[in-house]
Amino acid sequence: MDKKLIFSGIQPTGTFTLGNYIGAVRNWGPLQDEYNCIYCVVDLHAITVKQEPAKLRKNTLDAYALLMACGIDTEKSILFIQSHVKTHAELNWILGCSTQFGELSRMTQFKDKSKRHADDVNSGLFTYPVLMAADILAYNADLVPVGVDQKQHLELARNIAQRFNQRYGELFTVPEPYIAEIGAKVMSLQEPTKKMSKSDENPNACILILDDKDTIIRKFKRAVTDSEAEVCYREGKDGINNLMTIYSSVTGKSFDEITSEFAGKGYGDFKLAVGETVADHLAPIRNEFDRLIQDKAYLKKCYTEGAEKAQRYSQRIVSKAFHKVGFVDKA
Ligand code: TYM
């Protein structure tokens, strides 16, 4: 039987957070051996909020190199930049015509972002999940590895695929979410009931994977916890639960093992251990990124080849969609 197809994407908004890494990117590398994988830096999505052009260009290249540094192998997977492959925007239009205003209005990320960017509630921000559906359906992906925050968008992509298939005849695979058991939602270090996010105003809330060791340790030392002293995973201990999740996903230790390891020790020791472990885990990624980002010619070769492969792959499916909706076939 053919290998299943994986598709996922990440926005180029500066370096990745530890949330992006643990919830998504870190799982992408190991999937390459078992599945056919297609990964993408989604610069079209990024411009749904205001971007400075020069910075977006730099962030996109950085994100591409960072994915490679995190273990995406361009020999095994297709790794490309979204705006280089025109089928995404083309399919986006077709799928948008099968998506209802009401469905898009219910998207919690749209509601959150339109509050945060009240001066720029543009139509791209509103139709963002349609483009995400196009990303996935243009390849007929089976599985989409994402963090929990993308689940609602993925459910919409499933509905859009099913609706198109019913209306025009079978074409799209209905994709399944692929969500890690541990770390699918890494929380803010300062407000552990909120998702860790780059857009947090407090820089101590969020670990960036290119942060240096001292910065990582300092941020963990300042992490908000509770007034108890026991390192254990329990409802209500949001800060400690989050640190345990991070520690567990980096070390592979279970929550029980972590509780035993820190029995009789204070939160200070635990936070330091988490900080040091995370910093040591990320150090090789930072080194590899520093090396790759110097080699612009090699990166260009990789993203050019990636785009060619992605274009070829998706063109077949998108051309079928054009035909099914009734467009005249091009010679
Ligand atoms: P983005 O760029 O916001 O995030 C990239 C991935 O990181 C996950 N993630 C988290 N996981 C755990 N804890 C967190 N605190 C955390 N923050 C982010 C996200 O769930 C995501 O998997 N719309 C998408 C990008 C996208 C996409 C796609 C994904 C565009 N097209 C097609 C899959 C398939 C986004 O903005 O992710």
Side-chain angles (χ1 to χ4, degrees), residues 184-212:
K185 190 169 186 188
V186 175
M187 309 309 263
S188 154
L189 297 187
Q190 291 296 314
E191 275 178 83
T193 49
K194 264 178 42 187
K195 175 183 93 161
M196 181 182 282
S197 162
K198 257 169 293 207
S199 53
D200 203 305
E201 275 160 25
N202 183 343
N204 290 321
C206 173
I207 303 284
L208 300 174
I209 71 168
L210 294 177
D211 278 344
D212 61 39

Side-chain angles (χ1 to χ4, degrees), residues 7-11 19-20 23-24 42 45 128 132 135-136 144 146-147 149-150 183-186 195-196:
F7 182 95
S8 202
I10 187 160
Q11 293 204 51
N20 293 138
V42 295
H45 280 93
Y128 176 116
M132 183 163 156
D135 297 339
I136 300 164
V144 184
V146 283
D149 62 328
Q150 294 300 319
K185 190 169 186 188
V186 175
K195 175 183 93 161
M196 181 182 282

Side-chain angles (χ1 to χ4, degrees), residues 119-134:
D119 61 332
D120 186 22
V121 185
N122 62 76
S123 64
L125 192 64
F126 187 63
T127 57
Y128 176 116
V130 180
L131 180 59
M132 183 163 156

Side-chain angles (χ1 to χ4, degrees), residues 108-281:
T108 52
Q109 202 158 83
F110 171 70
K111 290 187 211 165
D112 291 348
K113 284 197 181 174
S114 48
K115 265 189 226 140
R116 255 192 287 132
H117 304 277
D119 61 332
D120 186 22
V121 185
N122 62 76
S123 64
L125 192 64
F126 187 63
T127 57
Y128 176 116
V130 180
L131 180 59
M132 183 163 156
D135 297 339
I136 300 164
L137 303 186
Y139 299 87
N140 268 341
D142 299 291
L143 295 169
V144 184
V146 283
V148 157
D149 62 328
Q150 294 300 319
K151 204 166 166 224
Q152 193 186 31
H153 289 163
L154 218 70
E155 272 157 18
L156 181 64
R158 288 169 57 82
N159 290 340
I160 295 174
Q162 279 160 342
R163 193 171 309 140
F164 184 100
N165 289 347
Q166 266 163 17
R167 190 156 161 197
Y168 297 110
E170 279 303 308
L171 173 62
F172 294 124
T173 303
V174 180
E176 299 279 346
Y178 190 99
I179 295 178
E181 267 173 40
I182 290 188
K185 190 169 186 188
V186 175
M187 309 309 263
S188 154
L189 297 187
Q190 291 296 314
E191 275 178 83
T193 49
K194 264 178 42 187
K195 175 183 93 161
M196 181 182 282
S197 162
K198 257 169 293 207
S199 53
D200 203 305
E201 275 160 25
N202 183 343
N204 290 321
C206 173
I207 303 284
L208 300 174
I209 71 168
L210 294 177
D211 278 344
D212 61 39
K213 184 165 185 169
D214 289 348
T215 307
I216 294 177
I217 292 177
R218 182 168 38 79
K219 288 181 181 175
F220 275 112
K221 276 189 182 162
R222 293 187 184 165
V224 168
T225 48
D226 53 60
S227 54
E228 298 173 9
E230 199 193 353
V231 176
C232 69
Y233 197 98
R234 199 167 53 224
E235 185 152 355
K237 288 172 78 75
D238 299 312
I240 289 294
N241 293 350
N242 189 38
L243 296 181
M244 287 183 78
T245 300
I246 293 170
Y247 193 62
S248 165
S249 70
V250 173
T251 59
K253 292 178 184 165
S254 69
F255 292 152
D256 284 347
E257 284 170 326
I258 298 171
T259 297
S260 315
E261 185 179 345
F262 292 95
K265 296 187 188 156
Y267 285 172
D269 288 340
F270 179 50
K271 288 182 188 177
L272 184 64
V274 181
E276 280 183 341
T277 310
V278 168
D280 291 346
H281 178 89

